[in-house]
Amino acid sequence: MKILQLTASLGGGGAERIAVSLCNRFAANKDDEIVLVSILDDSVPENVLYLNELSPQVRLFNLHSKKGLPIKAIWRLFKIISREHPDIVHTHVSATSLLLPAIVLRDIHFFNTIHTLPERHDANAGIVKKILTHYLFKTNKVKPITISEICHKSYYKTYKIQNDICIPNGSETLKTTDKLGLVKKEIDALKKNSDTTVFIHVGRNHPVKNHDRLFSTFLRLEAEGFNCILIVLGNDYDIWETKLRECKNIFLFGSKKNVGDYMAQADFFVLSSDFEGLPMALLEAMSMGVVPISTPAGGVVDVIEDGITGYLSENFDDDRFYRKVKQAIVEKGHITSVAIKSYYENHYSMETCAKRYYQIYIDTCKK
């Protein structure tokens, strides 16, 4: 089987990481040929963060787009798909990226993973893009894949049809590096003592993540004398550098390639989002046995059962979120690292995720 995956880039977000991981998993099967096409210009360093992780068995093409998917890039993509003529084309960006090949190349099977709540994706689309997406999904020219039960329900609410395939996101297990010892010393130096509770948040600064809720929670904990610190990994926090200058328990570390070394120091992973699909950072934290705490955003509610597989606030009220974080501190050790890691391996590992995708490809090609 020949499989072509389309992604925005080789760096930056969960959808991109999923695409790279799927390619690597599929490439391990020597009977299959795997092609990966990235849209954004690979001469920009932030667009190739995962390049070194890509299997040498995967053939890579880049559309050299500066931003989005302009007409020239759409035409280049069509020519690549026409020339390669794979059995499967699977996009991790908008379904409309496959409009031309899906209409013209009818013997190829096209898939689109919707990496957020479909109703939110639909609401943010322009009228033309919205009409075209509805057409592609409702005619099954592009087969939609949702990433959680909540996203599956959102799909029906948006498109009024139940033709999506629900495959929960999976993640590769995070690994530590030879920098683990240095990172441990770095974090230990920030702790008040050995009993300090360490929280970690991973992700770039973005309105949907509601970092105001996150930071106000930890400022409040500091004011009340709780022995805890928050480590934040990610880009675009410049505006917060000034706001948090006097804070003694929040530390903005910027983007790091060795995220696993920092996760290994954490007691809890914390997420304060208003909207999510099924966040990769959450799954990666659980792969290392870090107990998650989150708002009930998107597919998070399918992953976290409050008090059993993590801590889930009742709603998006800031005070409720604060109380849930405080509860986690008080109950530290109640949910074990071993239990979290076992739950991840059984339900959200990349091995499980890739097998589900591959079976869908096989079943589709047999029809």
Side-chain angles (χ1 to χ4, degrees), residues 143-330:
K143 299 172 182 63
I145 296 174
T146 50
I147 60 173
S148 68
E149 183 62 26
I150 290 294
C151 290
H152 164 67
K153 293 176 180 177
S154 173
Y155 177 86
Y156 177 72
K157 179 180 178 181
T158 304
Y159 298 103
K160 302 299 185 292
I161 187 172
Q162 290 185 327
N163 65 337
D164 65 305
I165 304 162
C166 187
I167 302 178
N169 269 354
S171 78
E172 299 289 0
T173 301
L174 276 184
K175 294 180 173 60
T176 57
T177 73
D178 56 3
K179 296 180 181 179
L180 177 62
L182 292 174
V183 171
K184 184 178 186 307
K185 288 182 180 179
E186 182 181 25
I187 302 303
D188 284 347
L190 301 176
K191 298 162 75 173
K192 294 179 182 178
N193 52 50
S194 60
D195 293 327
T196 299
T197 300
V198 180
F199 291 82
I200 190 168
H201 172 79
V202 180
R204 68 187 179 93
N205 182 38
H206 191 280
V208 301
K209 301 292 185 181
N210 200 330
H211 288 103
D212 186 64
R213 174 185 293 133
L214 178 66
F215 295 142
S216 64
T217 290
F218 281 85
L219 287 170
R220 186 173 172 183
L221 290 169
E222 179 183 348
E224 295 182 8
F226 280 88
N227 182 14
C228 63
I229 60 173
L230 171 65
I231 305 300
V232 179
L233 305 184
N235 293 323
D236 304 325
Y237 286 91
D238 296 358
I239 189 173
W240 287 104
E241 293 280 358
T242 302
K243 292 182 178 181
L244 300 173
R245 186 175 295 155
E246 303 301 322
C247 179
K248 294 180 175 60
N249 71 339
I250 300 174
F251 301 93
L252 308 177
F253 279 21
S255 182
K256 299 288 183 180
K257 290 185 177 181
N258 58 325
V259 174
D261 295 334
Y262 289 88
M263 282 287 190
Q265 315 308 316
D267 300 294
F268 297 101
F269 170 82
V270 62
L271 195 66
S272 53
S273 300
D274 291 324
F275 301 99
E276 288 287 353
L278 205 173
M280 290 295 293
L282 166 67
L283 303 183
E284 289 175 341
M286 296 178 78
S287 79
M288 297 195 72
V290 182
V291 180
I293 307 169
S294 180
T295 50
V300 171
V301 300
D302 296 326
V303 178
I304 300 177
E305 184 176 356
D306 186 44
I308 298 176
T309 57
Y311 292 92
L312 194 69
S313 62
E314 298 171 27
N315 51 43
F316 295 94
D317 178 74
D318 290 359
D319 188 61
R320 293 285 185 178
F321 180 72
Y322 160 77
R323 291 184 196 178
K324 191 57 64 173
V325 174
K326 189 165 71 169
Q327 178 187 346
I329 296 174
V330 173

Side-chain angles (χ1 to χ4, degrees), residues 92-111:
H92 296 270
V93 295
S94 172
T96 55
S97 63
L98 299 179
L99 178 65
L100 182 58
I103 291 175
V104 176
L105 305 172
R106 298 185 179 182
D107 57 338
I108 296 176
H109 302 285
F110 297 92
F111 293 87

